[in-house]
Amino acid sequence: MIFLKLLGAILFTIFTVLICGWAIFLPRSLKLKLITPIASRWADLLARSILGVKVVTSGGEHIPKSHKGYVSVSNHLSLIDPLLVLSTLKSPFLIKSSLLFTPFGWGAFISGSIHVNRSQTKGHLKIINKVIDVSTRWRAVHIFPEGTRSPDGKIAKFKRGTLKMVYKKNLPVLVSGLWGTNHILPKGSLSLKSAALAVITVRGIVKSKDFSSANDFIDEVEKQVGLAVKNSKSIFDKQGVSKKTKVKSNAKKSDYQQKIEKLATSGQSYAKKALHKTTNLSSKVKQKASTLADPKLLKNTLAYASGVKNKAKTKSAKASKEGLGLLASTNEYLGKLTDKAIDKVNELPKTSKKLEHSAKGYVAAAKRKTKKEMAELPKKAKLLYKTANKSMETVGGNIKTRSKRVQKSLSSIAVETSSQFKKIPGKTDQLYQTSTDSFKKLGKASKASLKTVEKKLAKGLSKSKSAMGSAGADNINSETEFYSSLSSIIGKIHLVSKADEMVSISFTKPAGRKFSDGKHLAIIKKVKKQLNEYFKGTRQKFEIDYKFAGSNKYWDIWQEMINIPYGETISYKELGEKVTPHMHPRVVGIAAGKNYFPVIIPCHRIIGNDGGLQGYAGGLKNKRILLNLEKNS
């Protein structure tokens, strides 16, 4: 029967090709306008009537009425797929050149489908351009991006050449998913199976203009095809299962009837056996009752009972004797133990006196030692305190934090020296000498650092005065913060600076701080100019004075970010290895999130280990814009 269906399909195809053979000489435009609608009816008749395939369509309302201006895409399972595409979507399709020598290939060629030779790579671009041209001008062409049929029904990775060109030409894509044809005519087989149900789900249009890159567009198309296939499979399973359950239920009914009949016959046999056993038992009970009534048997049982009673009496007597013996031995053992305990208790006062006397001696010796040490400690503590005060007085102004650290270190040194005096009285003088030397060094260092801080402040004031000029620069404090904003291709950028250096660059305005207007500040003008040059693609390096803020554990990572070349990318793991071997990529991610100077310190050039884009303070869209800007410049 299946062979006859396949033979009928081949004969029907040859017959139609012979009748419509004249259409080969028509131009493609007329083929697509006149022959393709007729071919869709022919494909429907061939699939449903001759091959006996029941075609179920879901989402047909998504098919555009114009049938042009887009490209159609689906998965590929079987040689029957083009029939479903032609009958349901009314679209010609890409067909392998090797299939042109088959009856189905002749029909596809007459209907306006485009053939491609996969062994020749040079002409692929022309074929892709032809597909887009035909889809735009006359009728949407259907393509199978997997390139070949799936042997197990799973969607293979899409070949992206055609879809990338579709994205460049800004064409939308109609997404659909097929299921069931892989059961009718699987890959690697030329025999039709008995299952005759095929489902096609039309998911809808995916617009290329909604995506910023071709890869994102293709990923979305692939995802939508997967969802369409999933829906088709669920419809196939529901309709296929309903038929199978009916057949199974009929088979189960007959099985249950046979089992019930067997149980009925076995139940009858069990009932007969039980009745026979009960009659036998009743007769045995009657016999035993008659034997018990015999007087001789009664005498024997009474004699046996009295013998058992006597044996029990003798055994209890023996047990009582053994128990009394055990009791006596335990009492004797307990008496010995109590005697020993009394002797030990009598000896306790003597031992306790000895222990008390020795303890008093130890306590007295400890008191003497502590008195000596305590008498010496106040003098040395005073000397330590005086030297500490002198060194603290020299530290002032802008280095209060350093003086606090010195004071803490002095107190810890004092505690440590006192403990050392207690443990090693002979070494206290040496410890004292080393501590006084360190205090002197600290005093000298603090004086030197105070002078350098004062010099830096003087330089900063002179720079801020020259930068501000006529805008009242003489009255500017070096700690005053200035704010200004800049509109760019990635949105508004907020700039914060002090008189002569940048403080931060962010995508949101810092809240909770008071700022002065920084429009006319020289450093902000310089930053805005260099950022505008970067966004135009004419600048690759920044020449700006800024300082690293925050935890110093991220400074090395930020410095390594600056060294990433313009237009190149690096993974979080690779950058971490450059800073410190075995650094976890998450530490690099945290440092990138705390970057005070995005764009200038190019944390947008760091990508995931798999090549995908990962977190960015300005959003993944802006990260993609910056990377594309650098690649295209």
Side-chain angles (χ1 to χ4, degrees):
M1 185 67 184
I2 295 167
F3 175 74
L4 290 173
K5 282 184 179 181
L6 187 60
L7 183 62
I10 294 168
L11 292 173
F12 177 73
T13 306
I14 293 170
F15 178 70
T16 50
V17 167
L18 290 172
I19 292 173
C20 300
W22 54 269
I24 295 172
F25 303 103
L26 291 176
R28 178 171 274 110
S29 58
L30 288 175
K31 285 180 186 177
L32 294 168
K33 286 181 181 179
L34 301 175
I35 306 299
T36 303
I38 298 168
S40 67
R41 298 286 181 89
W42 168 80
D44 190 60
L45 181 65
L46 180 62
R48 295 175 190 268
S49 302
I50 296 175
L51 293 177
V53 178
K54 182 186 176 184
V55 181
V56 177
T57 305
S58 174
E61 66 275 6
H62 296 302
I63 303 170
K65 293 180 180 179
S66 62
H67 293 293
K68 68 177 181 178
Y70 61 90
V71 173
S72 180
V73 168
S74 74
N75 61 317
H76 198 8
L77 300 170
S78 171
L79 288 172
I80 301 174
D81 294 348
L83 286 177
L84 265 69
V85 169
L86 193 56
S87 65
T88 306
L89 303 179
K90 295 178 175 56
S91 294
F93 44 84
L94 272 178
I95 185 170
K96 292 188 290 185
S97 298
S98 57
L99 293 175
L100 288 175
F101 301 102
T102 64
F104 296 107
W106 304 337
F109 184 70
I110 290 168
S111 64
S113 293
I114 301 167
H115 67 278
V116 58
N117 190 350
R118 291 197 301 189
S119 62
Q120 295 178 357
T121 56
K122 289 183 179 179
H124 278 192
L125 188 61
K126 288 183 179 178
I127 297 297
I128 292 168
N129 286 324
K130 190 185 288 185
V131 168
I132 293 167
D133 184 52
V134 169
S135 300
T136 308
R137 294 171 64 187
W138 296 301
R139 187 171 288 270
V141 177
H142 188 88
I143 61 173
F144 300 103
E146 294 169 280
T148 185
R149 290 165 289 163
S150 172
D152 54 1
K154 293 181 181 177
I155 300 173
K157 200 72 178 173
F158 281 9
K159 293 181 178 179
R160 303 196 164 207
T162 307
L163 289 175
K164 279 185 178 179
M165 190 64 74
V166 169
Y167 175 79
K168 284 183 179 179
K169 297 294 183 179
N170 204 19
L171 274 177
V173 170
L174 179 67
V175 174
S176 55
L178 303 166
W179 193 260
T181 54
N182 50 329
H183 297 287
I184 299 168
L185 186 61
K187 183 179 180 179
S189 175
L190 289 175
S191 61
L192 288 167
K193 305 297 179 182
S194 58
L197 176 64
V199 183
I200 179 167
T201 297
V202 183
R203 185 75 182 173
I205 292 285
V206 178
K207 296 179 180 178
S208 56
K209 65 181 181 181
D210 294 340
F211 298 88
S212 58
S213 70
N215 287 329
D216 292 346
F217 169 67
I218 296 166
D219 290 341
E220 181 63 23
V221 171
E222 195 170 346
K223 178 185 173 184
Q224 292 298 325
V225 169
L227 293 172
V229 171
K230 190 176 180 181
N231 185 63
S232 297
K233 190 175 183 298
S234 64
I235 294 169
F236 179 86
D237 291 339
K238 284 177 184 177
Q239 297 208 9
V241 167
S242 63
K243 289 180 180 179
K244 288 177 183 177
T245 49
K246 286 179 182 178
V247 176
K248 285 183 179 179
S249 62
N250 293 329
K252 283 183 178 179
K253 280 181 183 178
S254 60
D255 291 341
Y256 285 140
Q257 285 175 357
Q258 290 176 3
K259 286 180 181 179
I260 289 163
E261 288 174 0
K262 285 181 181 179
L263 285 170
T265 54
S266 61
Q268 288 175 0
S269 64
Y270 283 135
K272 287 178 182 179
K273 287 178 183 179
L275 184 65
H276 183 67
K277 284 183 179 180
T278 49
T279 53
N280 288 335
L281 283 170
S282 62
S283 62
K284 284 180 182 179
V285 169
K286 286 178 182 178
Q287 287 177 5
K288 284 187 178 181
S290 63
T291 53
L292 286 171
D294 190 4
K296 288 182 180 180
L297 186 63
L298 187 62
K299 283 180 182 180
N300 289 331
T301 51
L302 289 169
Y304 179 73
S306 63
V308 171
K309 193 175 182 181
N310 291 328
K311 284 181 181 179
K313 282 182 180 180
T314 54
K315 282 183 179 180
S316 63
K318 283 182 181 180
S320 62
K321 284 180 182 180
E322 289 175 357
L324 289 168
L326 285 168
L327 185 65
S329 62
T330 50
N331 284 329
E332 186 178 356
Y333 182 69
L334 284 170
K336 288 178 182 179
L337 284 174
T338 50
D339 291 338
K340 286 182 180 179
I342 289 165
D343 291 337
K344 285 184 178 180
V345 169
N346 291 330
E347 289 176 1
L348 279 173
K350 295 177 183 178
T351 55
S352 63
K353 282 181 180 179
K354 287 179 182 178
L355 288 169
E356 188 178 357
H357 180 70
S358 60
K360 283 180 179 178
Y362 285 128
V363 170
K367 281 182 178 179
R368 285 195 296 272
K369 283 183 179 180
T370 50
K371 279 182 181 179
K372 285 181 181 180
E373 289 173 355
M374 290 299 289
E376 291 175 357
L377 278 173
K379 296 176 183 178
K380 291 173 180 177
K382 283 179 181 179
L383 289 170
L384 286 168
Y385 184 69
K386 284 179 181 179
T387 53
N389 277 337
K390 286 178 182 179
S391 61
M392 288 297 290
E393 285 172 2
T394 57
V395 180
N398 292 327
I399 52 171
K400 288 181 180 179
T401 53
R402 184 171 288 184
S403 66
K404 287 179 182 178
R405 290 176 189 170
V406 171
Q407 195 170 5
K408 286 180 182 178
S409 64
L410 289 173
S411 61
S412 63
I413 289 166
V415 172
E416 188 178 353
T417 50
S418 63
S419 63
Q420 291 293 329
F421 294 151
K422 289 178 183 178
K423 292 179 182 178
I424 311 167
K427 291 184 178 181
T428 52
D429 293 333
Q430 187 179 354
L431 287 169
Y432 172 70
Q433 188 64 38
T434 53
S435 63
T436 51
D437 291 341
S438 64
F439 294 150
K440 287 176 182 178
K441 288 178 182 178
L442 282 170
K444 290 177 181 178
S446 61
K447 283 179 180 178
S449 61
L450 181 61
K451 287 178 180 179
T452 54
V453 168
E454 286 175 351
K455 287 178 182 178
K456 283 184 178 179
L457 287 171
K459 284 182 181 179
L461 283 170
S462 63
K463 281 184 180 180
S464 62
K465 285 176 182 178
S466 61
M468 289 302 292
S470 61
D474 294 334
N475 298 321
I476 292 174
N477 186 354
S478 63
E479 296 301 316
T480 303
E481 287 188 325
F482 297 89
Y483 167 78
S484 185
S485 63
L486 171 69
S487 296
S488 69
I489 59 172
I490 57 172
K492 214 167 194 180
I493 297 174
H494 303 273
L495 313 173
V496 177
S497 75
K498 289 188 180 178
D500 60 345
E501 63 183 8
M502 290 303 298
V503 175
S504 68
I505 294 173
S506 59
F507 297 103
T508 56
K509 185 178 180 180
R513 289 153 67 183
K514 290 182 179 179
F515 298 105
S516 297
D517 186 11
K519 284 182 184 177
H520 306 291
L521 197 64
I523 183 67
I524 286 181
K525 284 182 178 179
K526 185 179 180 182
V527 172
K528 282 184 176 181
K529 182 186 176 186
Q530 292 190 19
L531 282 171
N532 282 325
E533 289 171 354
Y534 170 78
F535 290 131
K536 288 177 182 178
T538 58
R539 175 174 287 276
Q540 296 185 0
K541 288 185 179 180
F542 291 93
E543 299 169 357
I544 294 167
D545 295 327
Y546 57 86
K547 64 177 180 180
F548 288 132
S551 176
N552 58 6
K553 66 182 178 181
Y554 301 127
W555 293 352
D556 293 339
I557 301 172
W558 292 333
Q559 189 63 50
E560 197 61 46
M561 287 179 193
I562 295 168
N563 296 331
I564 303 171
Y566 180 89
E568 295 183 13
T569 56
I570 190 171
S571 68
Y572 290 90
K573 185 178 180 181
E574 289 172 341
L575 193 135
E577 290 288 340
K578 283 189 175 184
V579 178
T580 303
H582 308 297
M583 177 180 279
H584 200 281
R586 196 175 296 156
V587 178
V588 179
I590 293 167
K594 293 186 177 181
N595 181 9
Y596 289 91
F597 302 98
V599 181
I600 291 174
I601 297 178
C603 58
H604 61 271
R605 295 173 191 164
I606 310 172
I607 60 173
N609 295 331
D610 59 352
L613 299 186
Q614 292 183 2
Y616 186 58
L620 289 180
K621 183 180 177 182
N622 286 337
K623 187 172 185 176
R624 192 178 289 110
I625 289 168
L626 292 175
L627 291 174
N628 289 335
L629 170 70
E630 292 183 3
K631 284 181 181 178
N632 296 327
S633 295

